[in-house]
Amino acid sequence: MRHLPSSHRMELKLLLIATLLGVFCCSISRAQKEGNECINANAKYCGECIQAGAKCGWCRHPDFLKQGEAVSSRCDELQSLLIRGCSLADIENPRGGQRVLLDRPVTNRLKGADKLRLENITQIQPQKLAITLRAGEPQSFNLKFKRAEDYPIDMYYLMDLSYSMKDDLENVKNLGTSLMQEMTKITSDFRIGFGSFVEKTVMPYISTTPAKLLNPCTGGLNCTSPFSYKNVLKLTSDGKRFNTLVGKQQISGNLDSPEGGFDAIMQVAVCGDQIGWRTDVTRLLVFSTDAGFHFAGDGKLGGIVLPNDGKCHLENNMYTMSHYYDYPSIAHLVQKLSDNNIQTIFAVTEEFQPVYKELKNLIPKSAVGTLSANSSNVINLIIDAYNSLSSEVILENSKLPEGLTIAYTSLCKNGIVSEGENGRKCSNISIGDEVMFTIDVTATGCPKMGKPETIKIKPLGFNEEVEITLNFICECDCSSGGIADSDNCTLGNGTLECGACKCNPGRVGRNCECSSNEVATEDMDRTCRRDNSTDLCSNNGECVCGACECKKRDNADERYSGPFCECDNFNCDRSNSLLCGGNGLCICRECICKPNWKGSACDCSLDHSTCMASNKQICNGRGTCECGACKCTDPKFQGLTCETCPTCPGVCIEHKDCVQCRTFGTGEKAERCQEDCSEFSLVKVKDRGELPQPNDAAYPVMHCKERDANDCWFYYTYAVNNNTKEVHVVDKLECPTGPDIIPIVLGVVVGIVLIGLALLLIWKLLMVIHDRREFAKFEKEKLNAKWDTGENPIYKSAVTTVVNPKYEGKF
């Protein structure tokens, strides 16, 4: 190994062999990654290292660093530290954890059973836990929620008493007892309260003339003076008292259409003692109106510019600061309703349904119901809205410390799993149903220098919550055992902590051996030049205190090393694009191969098993095994184990069926072609002239001509090229041409016709000859006749002729 003493080289080889045996046997193959978070952290001490990421560890062994390596090289991924020679016992790698501090089971309470105290009803589990977090390492826990049977309910009815709600008030006067009867079907512990609102008592919302302040109504109607918000009845279980007090209420009036309901909602939310909200109950606020609403900024019309302070201002159950504070914003209302676990039901007329549905989307755990013109359906509306709200659970968390994230995954009814924002909630939950949430808490660093933090997670609309105490791992365990003014840190100029020196102010160097004023002197730089070269640290590092600290590469797996940073582990020979062929380590630009490998790139295998043929002979006895591959001594044999002879007789017959099925889809192996005929690569050509020729190829080529079952010929060549079997085949069959049917049929027809005509002519000719012969014979016999041809002597006429004697030849 060049540039290293022989003793050092031997030591490295022994260390390498031990590492290879212990590590490579586990087949560790790490893909090179750009931007190793552990290396990029450039950590100077252990605490910085473990905050860089969950995969980072710190080697605290004093002699771990090699020449030229900076202190930050102690921080690396665990597997890399092990490969570099740091034992597992010397690696600082603290892990996070969790402890459940309070874990009361959820209540299995049935309606009609013995009544439990409110504080003994549990719907969420666990209630308290402590989590220890390390940067980048998520901690998960499960949160269980179960709707309890017969859970107490507090409901506050907040009604618009402007003049347009006159007929609605009549129906609400009997709401107490009627609603009590209906709610007993849901819970045995129900309380109801009542409040009303109109508008801010300043212009232009109401008329401020003395007469209108006493009676804002016209037409002789008797109305009460305008007001902003009035708490008429504190929450009570006496439904008759509700009817009595509501029955005494009178309608009021204002000038503009939008009402001051937001002022009333804010006071109902924050004035818990005056309203009478209980702690561990379901809190419902029913907001009933037939108009829109004013919100933050609208107060400027009346000269009110101070933002709503979100505090209770009830005196004698009347809101007294409506003329002083502006309307609250929607976001402010959302915060206060959530903080006080109040679920809102907007009972509004159909005209304003779109407006309040948009508002519902901004206020979690709220519902909108359509109120009839005279509020006659208010009980059914409340029951339906309550069932809708109670059937959904939505988790929310308090404000998170900087650098902390929470992820939710829900396992809801019927096995429905959701993640992301939908992982916070479950719907369609009935009483007694149990749902589960998996919550992942992850820190990206150490907020506030590692001081404990507390966060809370709760279901919206419920008072119960999970309290989580967060502790952060910001230092290693070995940091507490640091040795101040250690002799290992050059005359006590630093603290030996976790195997590395943490230098005192004004001192630098791996062992604090230099003063910061001496770092850039020429004498120190001289010791960083190799063989009096002009390059400091071979241009691969910096000279610090007369010693080279090698620079880091973008790829964390690539390193410079050596006293002058002259070595590296990435400039060795490669094979198959792999450093040292993947079969060795690159040390100081030279490959140190694993056992059974040799060569400058560790690409020559000494294992002969790959050369063993099926007959248990090396290369079938026809060659030698070199670097794990057969080199055939007889040039006509080829293949991985010299088993193939492309030019030997029988090659064509052997591959005929496979060539036929892969090219034409026919033959005896057509059905199992893919399984039996994948051992060679197939190239199709158009005609025989494109087939490889023996004289042109650099390897033996066998020409084949075979015939299929249809007496068609196909032509192909077989060869072995670099241990790859190649077949070139003409993609068209040469079949014998069949007879031309049309000429044959025409010939037959014409032949038949001609033969017929010839037969007719012959027959005619014979008949003519026959007739002539018969006529000649007749003529001859006629000449030889012996009787008188004039009269037959034997013939006697049958006719008698009588001559009239008196006939004179005249008629």
Side-chain angles (χ1 to χ4, degrees), residues 72 114 167 394 434 605 652 738:
S72 59
D114 294 339
D167 53 348
I394 303 175
E434 188 174 286
S605 175
C652 294

Side-chain angles (χ1 to χ4, degrees), residues 321-342:
M321 301 298 285
S322 67
H323 63 287
Y324 191 76
Y325 289 116
D326 193 6
Y327 302 99
S329 65
I330 295 176
H332 201 181
L333 276 183
V334 170
Q335 177 193 346
K336 293 300 180 181
L337 290 171
S338 176
D339 290 345
N340 293 280
N341 305 308
I342 296 173

Side-chain angles (χ1 to χ4, degrees), residues 212-223:
K212 292 295 184 181
L213 287 176
L214 292 176
N215 183 5
C217 299
T218 58
L221 295 175
N222 186 23
C223 297

Side-chain angles (χ1 to χ4, degrees), residues 609-640:
S609 61
T610 55
C611 297
M612 191 69 68
S614 57
N615 59 5
K616 304 303 181 182
Q617 287 185 321
I618 297 294
C619 302
N620 275 296
R622 299 165 180 153
T624 58
C625 187
E626 297 181 6
C627 295
C630 283
K631 186 174 182 180
C632 303
T633 53
D634 189 339
K636 70 179 181 180
F637 286 96
Q638 299 179 13
L640 293 176

